[in-house]
Coordinates of all heavy atoms in Angstrom, one line a residue:
M18 N 28.9 78.1 -10.0 CA 28.5 76.6 -10.0 C 27.7 76.4 -8.8 O 28.0 76.8 -7.6 CB 29.8 75.8 -9.8 CG 29.6 74.4 -9.5 SD 29.1 73.3 -10.9 CE 30.7 73.1 -11.7
V19 N 26.5 75.6 -9.0 CA 25.6 75.3 -8.0 C 25.7 73.7 -7.6 O 25.8 73.0 -8.7 CB 24.2 75.7 -8.2 CG1 23.2 75.1 -7.2 CG2 24.0 77.2 -8.5
V20 N 25.8 73.3 -6.5 CA 25.8 71.9 -6.2 C 24.6 71.5 -5.3 O 24.5 72.2 -4.2 CB 27.2 71.4 -5.6 CG1 27.1 70.0 -5.2 CG2 28.3 71.8 -6.4
V21 N 23.8 70.7 -5.8 CA 22.7 70.3 -5.0 C 22.7 68.9 -4.6 O 23.2 68.0 -5.5 CB 21.3 70.6 -5.7 CG1 20.0 70.1 -4.8 CG2 21.2 72.0 -6.3
T22 N 22.5 68.4 -3.3 CA 22.5 67.0 -3.1 C 21.2 66.6 -2.4 O 20.5 67.3 -1.8 CB 23.7 66.6 -2.1 OG1 23.3 67.1 -0.9 CG2 25.0 67.0 -2.6
L23 N 20.8 65.4 -2.7 CA 19.6 64.7 -2.2 C 20.0 63.3 -1.5 O 20.5 62.5 -2.2 CB 18.6 64.6 -3.2 CG 17.2 63.7 -2.8 CD1 16.4 64.4 -1.7 CD2 16.4 63.5 -4.1
Q24 N 19.7 63.2 -0.2 CA 19.8 61.7 0.3 C 18.5 61.0 0.1 O 17.7 61.2 1.2 CB 20.3 62.0 1.9 CG 20.7 60.8 2.4 CD 21.2 60.8 3.9 OE1 21.1 61.9 4.4 NE2 21.6 59.8 4.5
R25 N 18.4 60.5 -0.9 CA 17.2 60.0 -1.3 C 16.3 59.1 -0.4 O 15.1 59.1 -0.3 CB 17.2 59.5 -2.7 CG 15.9 59.3 -3.5 CD 16.0 58.9 -5.0 NE 14.7 59.0 -5.4 CZ 14.0 57.9 -5.5 NH1 14.3 56.8 -5.0 NH2 12.6 57.9 -5.9
N26 N 17.1 58.0 0.0 CA 16.5 57.0 0.8 C 15.6 57.5 2.1 O 14.8 56.8 2.6 CB 17.4 55.9 1.2 CG 18.5 56.4 2.1 OD1 18.6 57.6 2.3 ND2 19.3 55.6 2.8
K27 N 16.0 58.8 2.5 CA 15.3 59.3 3.7 C 14.1 60.2 3.4 O 13.4 60.7 4.2 CB 16.3 60.1 4.6 CG 17.4 59.2 5.2 CD 18.1 60.1 6.2 CE 19.1 59.2 6.9 NZ 19.9 60.1 7.8
C28 N 13.7 60.2 2.1 CA 12.7 61.0 1.6 C 11.3 60.5 2.1 O 11.1 59.4 2.0 CB 12.7 61.2 0.0 SG 11.2 62.1 -0.6
I29 N 10.4 61.4 2.6 CA 9.1 61.0 3.1 C 8.1 61.3 2.1 O 6.9 61.1 2.4 CB 8.8 61.6 4.5 CG1 8.9 63.1 4.4 CG2 9.7 61.0 5.5 CD1 8.3 63.7 5.6
G30 N 8.4 61.8 0.8 CA 7.6 62.1 -0.1 C 6.4 63.1 0.0 O 5.3 63.1 -0.4
C31 N 6.9 64.2 0.9 CA 5.9 65.3 1.1 C 5.5 66.3 0.0 O 4.6 66.9 -0.1 CB 6.4 66.2 2.3 SG 7.9 67.2 2.0
N32 N 6.6 66.2 -1.0 CA 6.3 67.0 -2.3 C 6.7 68.5 -2.3 O 6.6 69.1 -3.2 CB 4.8 66.9 -2.7 CG 4.6 67.1 -4.3 OD1 5.3 66.5 -5.1 ND2 3.7 68.1 -4.6
Y33 N 7.1 69.0 -1.0 CA 7.6 70.4 -0.9 C 8.6 70.7 -2.0 O 8.5 71.8 -2.6 CB 8.1 70.7 0.4 CG 6.9 70.7 1.5 CD1 7.5 70.8 2.9 CD2 5.7 70.7 1.3 CE1 6.4 70.9 3.8 CE2 4.7 70.7 2.2 CZ 5.2 70.7 3.5 OH 4.2 70.8 4.5
C34 N 9.7 69.9 -2.2 CA 10.7 70.3 -3.0 C 10.2 70.4 -4.5 O 10.7 71.3 -5.3 CB 11.8 69.3 -2.9 SG 11.3 67.6 -3.2
V35 N 9.2 69.5 -4.9 CA 8.6 69.7 -6.2 C 7.8 71.0 -6.4 O 8.0 71.5 -7.4 CB 7.8 68.3 -6.4 CG1 7.2 68.4 -7.9 CG2 8.6 67.0 -6.4
E36 N 7.1 71.3 -5.4 CA 6.4 72.6 -5.4 C 7.2 73.9 -5.5 O 6.9 74.7 -6.3 CB 5.4 72.7 -4.2 CG 4.2 71.8 -4.4 CD 3.4 71.9 -3.0 OE1 3.4 72.9 -2.4 OE2 2.9 70.8 -2.6
L37 N 8.3 73.8 -4.9 CA 9.2 74.9 -4.8 C 10.3 74.9 -5.9 O 10.7 76.1 -6.3 CB 10.0 74.9 -3.5 CG 9.0 75.4 -2.2 CD1 9.6 75.0 -1.0 CD2 8.8 76.9 -2.3
A38 N 10.6 73.8 -6.4 CA 11.7 73.7 -7.5 C 11.4 72.8 -8.5 O 12.1 71.7 -8.7 CB 13.0 73.4 -6.9
P39 N 10.2 73.0 -9.1 CA 9.7 72.0 -10.1 C 10.6 71.7 -11.3 O 10.5 70.5 -11.9 CB 8.4 72.6 -10.6 CG 8.5 74.0 -10.3 CD 9.4 74.1 -9.1
E40 N 11.5 72.5 -11.6 CA 12.4 72.2 -12.7 C 13.5 71.2 -12.3 O 14.3 70.7 -13.1 CB 13.1 73.4 -13.2 CG 12.0 74.2 -14.0 CD 12.6 75.6 -14.4 OE1 13.7 75.8 -14.5 OE2 11.7 76.5 -14.7
H41 N 13.6 71.0 -11.0 CA 14.8 70.1 -10.5 C 14.4 68.8 -9.8 O 15.1 68.0 -9.5 CB 15.7 71.1 -9.7 CG 16.2 72.2 -10.4 ND1 16.9 72.2 -11.5 CD2 15.7 73.6 -10.2 CE1 17.1 73.5 -12.0 NE2 16.3 74.2 -11.2
F42 N 13.1 68.9 -9.2 CA 12.7 67.8 -8.5 C 11.4 67.2 -9.1 O 10.5 68.0 -9.6 CB 12.4 68.3 -7.0 CG 13.7 68.4 -6.2 CD1 14.1 69.8 -6.2 CD2 14.4 67.6 -5.6 CE1 15.1 70.0 -5.5 CE2 15.5 67.8 -4.9 CZ 16.0 69.2 -4.8
R43 N 11.3 65.9 -9.1 CA 10.0 65.2 -9.5 C 9.6 64.2 -8.4 O 10.6 63.5 -7.9 CB 10.2 64.5 -10.8 CG 10.3 65.4 -12.1 CD 9.0 65.7 -12.8 NE 9.3 66.2 -14.0 CZ 9.7 67.6 -14.3 NH1 10.0 68.3 -13.2 NH2 9.9 68.0 -15.5
M44 N 8.4 63.8 -8.3 CA 8.1 62.6 -7.3 C 8.1 61.4 -8.3 O 7.7 61.5 -9.4 CB 6.7 62.8 -6.8 CG 6.6 64.0 -5.8 SD 7.8 64.0 -4.6 CE 7.4 62.7 -3.8
S45 N 8.7 60.4 -7.8 CA 8.8 59.1 -8.5 C 7.4 58.4 -8.3 O 6.9 58.3 -7.2 CB 9.9 58.3 -7.9 OG 9.6 57.0 -8.4
K46 N 6.9 57.9 -9.4 CA 5.5 57.2 -9.3 C 5.9 55.8 -8.8 O 5.0 55.1 -8.3 CB 4.9 57.0 -10.7 CG 4.3 58.4 -11.2 CD 3.4 58.3 -12.3 CE 2.7 59.6 -12.8 NZ 3.4 60.2 -13.9
K47 N 7.1 55.4 -8.9 CA 7.4 54.0 -8.5 C 7.5 53.8 -7.0 O 6.9 53.0 -6.4 CB 8.8 53.6 -9.0 CG 8.8 53.0 -10.5 CD 10.1 52.3 -10.7 CE 10.2 52.0 -12.1 NZ 11.7 52.0 -12.6
D48 N 8.2 54.8 -6.3 CA 8.3 54.5 -4.9 C 7.9 55.7 -4.0 O 8.1 55.9 -2.9 CB 9.7 54.2 -4.5 CG 10.8 55.4 -4.8 OD1 10.4 56.5 -5.4 OD2 12.0 55.0 -4.8
G49 N 7.4 56.8 -4.8 CA 6.7 58.0 -3.9 C 7.8 58.9 -3.3 O 7.6 59.7 -2.5
K50 N 9.0 58.8 -3.8 CA 10.1 59.6 -3.3 C 10.6 60.6 -4.3 O 10.4 60.4 -5.4 CB 11.4 58.6 -2.9 CG 11.0 57.9 -1.7 CD 12.4 57.1 -1.3 CE 12.2 56.0 -0.3 NZ 12.0 56.5 1.1
S51 N 11.2 61.6 -3.8 CA 11.6 62.7 -4.8 C 12.8 62.3 -5.6 O 13.8 61.5 -5.2 CB 12.1 63.9 -3.9 OG 12.6 64.9 -4.7
V52 N 12.9 62.8 -6.9 CA 14.1 62.5 -7.7 C 14.6 63.9 -8.0 O 13.9 64.8 -8.4 CB 13.4 61.9 -9.1 CG1 14.5 61.6 -10.1 CG2 12.8 60.6 -8.8
L53 N 15.9 64.0 -7.9 CA 16.7 65.1 -8.2 C 17.0 64.9 -9.8 O 17.9 64.2 -10.0 CB 17.9 65.4 -7.3 CG 18.8 66.5 -7.6 CD1 18.0 67.8 -7.6 CD2 19.9 66.6 -6.6
L54 N 16.5 65.8 -10.5 CA 16.7 65.5 -12.1 C 18.2 65.9 -12.4 O 18.9 66.7 -11.8 CB 15.9 66.4 -12.8 CG 14.3 66.2 -12.4 CD1 13.4 67.3 -13.2 CD2 13.9 64.8 -13.0
H55 N 18.8 65.1 -13.3 CA 20.1 65.3 -13.9 C 21.2 65.1 -12.8 O 22.3 65.5 -12.9 CB 20.3 66.6 -14.4 CG 19.2 67.0 -15.5 ND1 19.0 66.1 -16.6 CD2 18.3 67.9 -15.4 CE1 18.0 66.7 -17.3 NE2 17.5 67.7 -16.7
A56 N 20.8 64.3 -11.8 CA 21.8 64.0 -10.7 C 22.5 62.7 -10.8 O 22.0 61.8 -11.5 CB 21.2 63.9 -9.2
V57 N 23.7 62.7 -10.3 CA 24.5 61.5 -10.3 C 24.4 60.8 -9.0 O 24.7 61.5 -8.0 CB 26.0 61.8 -10.7 CG1 26.9 60.6 -10.7 CG2 26.0 62.4 -12.0
E58 N 24.3 59.5 -9.0 CA 24.0 58.8 -7.5 C 25.5 58.3 -7.2 O 26.3 57.7 -7.9 CB 23.1 57.7 -7.8 CG 22.8 57.1 -6.4 CD 23.5 55.8 -6.0 OE1 24.3 55.3 -6.8 OE2 23.4 55.5 -4.8
K59 N 25.8 58.4 -5.8 CA 27.0 57.7 -5.3 C 26.7 57.5 -3.8 O 26.3 58.3 -3.1 CB 28.1 58.7 -5.4 CG 29.5 58.0 -5.2 CD 30.7 58.8 -5.3 CE 31.9 58.1 -5.1 NZ 33.1 59.0 -5.1
K60 N 26.6 56.1 -3.5 CA 26.3 55.6 -2.0 C 25.0 56.4 -1.4 O 25.0 56.8 -0.4 CB 27.6 56.0 -1.2 CG 28.8 55.2 -1.6 CD 29.9 55.5 -0.6 CE 31.0 54.5 -1.0 NZ 32.3 55.0 -0.3
G61 N 24.0 56.4 -2.4 CA 22.8 56.9 -1.8 C 22.4 58.3 -1.9 O 21.5 58.8 -1.7
F62 N 23.6 59.1 -2.2 CA 23.5 60.6 -2.2 C 23.4 60.9 -3.8 O 24.4 60.5 -4.6 CB 24.7 61.3 -1.7 CG 24.6 61.2 -0.1 CD1 25.0 60.1 0.6 CD2 24.1 62.4 0.6 CE1 24.9 60.1 1.9 CE2 24.0 62.4 1.9 CZ 24.5 61.3 2.5
Y63 N 22.5 61.8 -4.2 CA 22.3 62.3 -5.5 C 22.8 63.6 -5.6 O 22.4 64.5 -4.9 CB 20.8 62.1 -5.9 CG 20.3 60.7 -6.1 CD1 20.2 59.9 -5.0 CD2 20.2 60.1 -7.4 CE1 19.7 58.5 -5.2 CE2 19.8 58.8 -7.6 CZ 19.6 58.0 -6.4 OH 19.2 56.8 -6.5
T64 N 23.8 63.9 -6.6 CA 24.3 65.1 -6.7 C 24.2 65.8 -8.1 O 24.3 65.1 -9.1 CB 25.8 65.0 -6.4 OG1 26.1 64.4 -5.2 CG2 26.4 66.4 -6.5
L65 N 23.6 67.0 -8.1 CA 23.5 67.7 -9.3 C 24.4 69.0 -9.3 O 24.5 69.7 -8.3 CB 22.0 68.4 -9.4 CG 21.8 69.5 -10.3 CD1 21.9 69.1 -11.8 CD2 20.3 70.1 -10.1
K66 N 25.2 69.0 -10.3 CA 26.2 70.2 -10.4 C 25.8 71.0 -11.7 O 25.6 70.4 -12.8 CB 27.6 69.6 -10.6 CG 28.1 69.0 -9.5 CD 29.6 68.6 -9.6 CE 30.1 67.9 -8.3 NZ 31.4 67.3 -8.5
S67 N 25.5 72.2 -11.5 CA 25.1 73.0 -12.5 C 25.9 74.3 -12.7 O 26.0 75.0 -11.6 CB 23.6 73.5 -12.3 OG 23.1 74.4 -13.4
P68 N 26.2 74.7 -13.7 CA 26.9 76.0 -14.0 C 26.0 77.3 -13.8 O 26.5 78.3 -13.8 CB 27.7 76.0 -15.4 CG 26.6 75.0 -16.1 CD 26.1 74.0 -15.1
D69 N 24.7 77.0 -13.9 CA 23.8 78.1 -13.9 C 23.3 78.5 -12.5 O 22.5 77.8 -11.9 CB 22.5 77.5 -14.6 CG 21.3 78.6 -14.7 OD1 21.6 79.7 -14.2 OD2 20.3 78.2 -15.1
N70 N 24.0 79.5 -12.0 CA 23.8 80.0 -10.7 C 22.4 80.4 -10.3 O 21.9 80.4 -9.1 CB 24.8 81.1 -10.2 CG 26.2 80.7 -10.1 OD1 26.5 79.5 -10.2 ND2 27.2 81.5 -9.9
A71 N 21.6 80.7 -11.4 CA 20.2 81.2 -11.3 C 19.4 80.0 -10.6 O 18.3 80.4 -10.0 CB 19.7 81.6 -12.5
I72 N 19.8 78.8 -10.6 CA 18.9 77.8 -10.0 C 19.1 77.7 -8.5 O 18.3 77.0 -7.8 CB 19.1 76.3 -10.7 CG1 20.5 75.7 -10.1 CG2 19.2 76.5 -12.2 CD1 20.6 74.2 -10.4
Y73 N 20.1 78.4 -8.0 CA 20.4 78.2 -6.5 C 19.3 78.7 -5.6 O 18.9 77.8 -4.8 CB 21.6 79.1 -6.2 CG 21.9 79.0 -4.7 CD1 22.6 77.8 -4.1 CD2 21.6 80.1 -3.9 CE1 22.8 77.9 -2.8 CE2 21.8 80.1 -2.4 CZ 22.4 78.9 -1.9 OH 22.6 78.9 -0.7
E74 N 18.7 79.7 -6.0 CA 17.5 80.3 -5.1 C 16.5 79.3 -4.8 O 16.1 79.0 -3.7 CB 17.1 81.6 -5.7 CG 16.5 82.5 -4.6 CD 17.2 82.7 -3.3 OE1 18.4 83.0 -3.3 OE2 16.5 82.6 -2.3
E75 N 15.9 78.7 -5.9 CA 14.7 77.9 -5.7 C 15.1 76.5 -5.1 O 14.4 75.9 -4.4 CB 13.9 77.7 -7.1 CG 14.5 77.0 -8.2 CD 13.4 76.9 -9.3 OE1 12.5 77.9 -9.6 OE2 13.4 75.7 -10.0
C76 N 16.4 76.0 -5.6 CA 16.8 74.9 -4.9 C 17.1 75.0 -3.4 O 16.7 74.1 -2.7 CB 18.1 74.3 -5.6 SG 17.7 73.7 -7.2
D77 N 17.5 76.1 -3.1 CA 17.8 76.5 -1.7 C 16.4 76.6 -0.9 O 16.3 76.2 0.2 CB 18.5 77.8 -1.4 CG 19.1 77.9 -0.1 OD1 19.8 77.0 0.4 OD2 19.0 79.0 0.5
Q78 N 15.5 77.1 -1.5 CA 14.1 77.2 -0.9 C 13.6 75.8 -0.7 O 13.0 75.5 0.4 CB 13.1 77.8 -1.9 CG 13.2 79.4 -2.2 CD 13.0 80.2 -0.9 OE1 11.9 80.0 -0.2 NE2 13.8 81.1 -0.6
A79 N 13.9 74.9 -1.6 CA 13.4 73.5 -1.4 C 14.2 72.8 -0.3 O 13.6 72.2 0.5 CB 13.6 72.7 -2.7
A80 N 15.4 73.1 -0.2 CA 16.2 72.6 0.9 C 15.8 72.9 2.2 O 15.7 72.3 3.2 CB 17.8 72.9 0.7
K81 N 15.4 74.3 2.3 CA 14.9 75.0 3.7 C 13.5 74.3 4.0 O 13.2 74.3 5.2 CB 14.9 76.4 3.6 CG 16.3 77.0 3.6 CD 16.1 78.5 3.5 CE 17.6 79.1 3.8 NZ 18.0 80.2 2.8
A82 N 12.8 73.9 3.0 CA 11.4 73.5 3.3 C 11.4 72.0 3.6 O 10.4 71.5 4.1 CB 10.5 73.7 2.0
C83 N 12.3 71.3 3.2 CA 12.3 70.0 3.4 C 12.3 69.5 4.8 O 13.2 69.8 5.7 CB 13.5 69.2 2.8 SG 13.7 67.4 3.0
P84 N 11.2 68.8 5.3 CA 11.0 68.6 6.7 C 12.2 67.6 7.3 O 12.3 67.6 8.6 CB 9.5 67.9 6.9 CG 9.3 67.6 5.3 CD 10.1 68.3 4.4
V85 N 12.7 66.7 6.4 CA 13.6 65.9 7.0 C 15.1 66.3 6.7 O 16.1 65.5 6.9 CB 13.4 64.3 6.5 CG1 12.2 63.9 7.3 CG2 13.2 64.3 5.0
K86 N 15.3 67.5 6.1 CA 16.6 68.0 5.8 C 17.5 67.2 5.1 O 18.7 66.9 5.5 CB 17.2 68.6 7.2 CG 16.4 69.5 8.0 CD 16.3 70.8 7.3 CE 15.3 71.8 8.0 NZ 14.8 72.7 7.1
I87 N 17.0 66.7 4.1 CA 18.0 65.8 3.2 C 18.5 66.4 1.9 O 19.1 65.8 1.0 CB 17.3 64.5 2.9 CG1 15.8 64.6 2.2 CG2 17.1 63.6 4.1 CD1 15.3 63.4 1.7
I88 N 18.2 67.8 1.8 CA 18.6 68.4 0.5 C 19.7 69.4 1.0 O 19.4 70.1 2.0 CB 17.4 69.2 -0.2 CG1 16.4 68.2 -0.6 CG2 18.0 70.0 -1.3 CD1 15.1 68.9 -1.0
T89 N 20.8 69.4 0.3 CA 21.8 70.5 0.6 C 22.0 71.3 -0.7 O 21.9 70.8 -1.8 CB 23.2 70.0 1.1 OG1 23.7 69.2 -0.1 CG2 22.9 69.0 2.4
T90 N 22.4 72.5 -0.6 CA 22.7 73.4 -1.6 C 23.9 74.1 -1.4 O 24.3 74.6 -0.3 CB 21.5 74.4 -2.0 OG1 21.3 75.1 -0.7 CG2 20.4 73.9 -2.6
K91 N 24.8 74.3 -2.4 CA 26.0 75.1 -2.3 C 26.2 75.9 -3.4 O 25.9 75.4 -4.6 CB 27.3 74.2 -2.2 CG 27.5 73.8 -0.7 CD 29.0 73.0 -0.8 CE 29.0 71.8 0.1 NZ 29.7 70.8 -0.4
L92 N 26.5 77.1 -3.2 CA 27.0 78.1 -4.4 C 28.5 78.1 -4.3 O 29.1 78.8 -3.4 CB 26.3 79.4 -4.2 CG 26.2 80.4 -5.3 CD1 25.6 79.9 -6.4 CD2 25.4 81.7 -4.8
L93 N 29.0 77.8 -5.4 CA 30.6 77.7 -5.4 C 31.2 78.8 -6.3 O 30.5 79.2 -7.3 CB 31.2 76.4 -5.8 CG 30.7 75.3 -5.0 CD1 31.2 73.9 -5.6 CD2 31.1 75.2 -3.6
Ligands
LIG125 S1 10.9 68.1 0.7 FE1 12.3 66.4 1.4 S2 11.1 64.9 2.2 FE2 9.6 66.2 1.0 S3 9.6 65.2 -1.1 FE3 11.4 66.7 -1.1 S4 13.2 65.5 -0.4 FE4 11.3 64.3 0.2

């Protein structure tokens, strides 16, 4: 199981996560911030839980590249 979180309100719209993990992140045309696809929102944190461990690597690359460090990844 892979768990990815995004603290969306702090996103500065740099697009790195979209470049590194395009299947999981998109830029919103509305507010220019990143959207974590298929995520559930709770108190400003968006969480994606996936049974597909293969997505961990690219989501983790996105987390490491994020300049404001608002993406976390966990492999459970
Ligand atoms: S890498 Fe971080 S700051 Fe840049 S668009 Fe993605 S979430 Fe936002």
Side-chain angles (χ1 to χ4, degrees):
M18 165 82 75
V19 177
V20 181
V21 183
T22 68
L23 171 67
Q24 193 180 355
R25 188 167 191 274
N26 63 343
K27 292 191 175 175
C28 176
I29 58 169
C31 73
N32 205 52
Y33 287 167
C34 56
V35 178
E36 282 174 35
L37 290 162
E40 287 172 25
H41 308 292
F42 293 91
R43 291 263 192 292
M44 295 311 296
S45 164
K46 288 196 179 95
K47 271 191 190 161
D48 62 9
K50 292 179 189 280
S51 173
V52 175
L53 178 57
L54 301 175
H55 310 297
V57 175
E58 191 267 346
K59 198 176 179 186
K60 294 183 179 166
F62 285 82
Y63 289 75
T64 303
L65 162 69
K66 291 182 182 170
S67 171
D69 181 6
N70 287 357
I72 76 166
Y73 176 79
E74 199 52 45
E75 66 176 42
C76 289
D77 196 50
Q78 294 287 318
K81 287 186 174 130
C83 177
V85 286
K86 301 289 174 213
I87 55 173
I88 302 170
T89 67
T90 51
K91 267 189 228 158
L92 193 56
L93 303 177

